[in-house]
């Protein structure tokens, strides 16, 4: 079974050790927005993953287009 494209809300996580630190990259599949966090290699991978996901979600919110207000009812005279 193959997918036709990225699933909304799907996040790719990559761990890359760099010396005594770990570079964690989180990418939103639908928008392609990417963030990076760096932490100590002794830190729990779940903690680094959660940090990266929270940072990604915050960036997605910040870059989302502002909601357009719905047209007002009635008329201005």
């Amino acid at each position: 079974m193959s997918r036709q494209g990225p699933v909304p809300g799907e996040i790719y996580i990559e761990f890359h050790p760099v010396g005594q630190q770990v570079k964690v990259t989180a990418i939103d599949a639908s928008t392609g927005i990417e963030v990076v966090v760096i932490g100590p290699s002794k830190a729990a991978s779940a903690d680094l993953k959660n940090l990266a996901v929270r940072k990604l979600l915050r960036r997605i919110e910040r870059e989302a287009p502002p909601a357009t207000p719905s047209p007002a009812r009635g008329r201005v005279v």
Side-chain angles (χ1 to χ4, degrees):
M1 174 188 285
S2 65
R3 288 194 250 171
Q4 297 300 322
V7 176
E10 187 173 41
I11 298 173
Y12 302 121
I13 305 288
E14 177 185 57
F15 290 86
H16 183 73
V18 180
Q20 293 188 9
Q21 298 178 342
V22 178
K23 176 181 170 184
V24 182
T25 305
I27 305 167
D28 180 56
S30 59
T31 63
I33 296 175
E34 177 178 327
V35 297
V36 174
V37 296
I38 297 175
S41 61
K42 293 183 179 184
S45 60
D47 291 339
L48 293 172
K49 175 184 162 190
N50 288 337
L51 179 63
V53 169
R54 286 194 337 249
K55 183 176 180 179
L56 177 64
L57 294 176
R58 187 175 62 226
R59 176 139 177 232
I60 290 170
E61 285 178 9
R62 193 176 63 208
E63 291 189 8
T68 57
S70 60
R73 294 181 138 186
R75 298 183 301 188
V76 176
V77 287

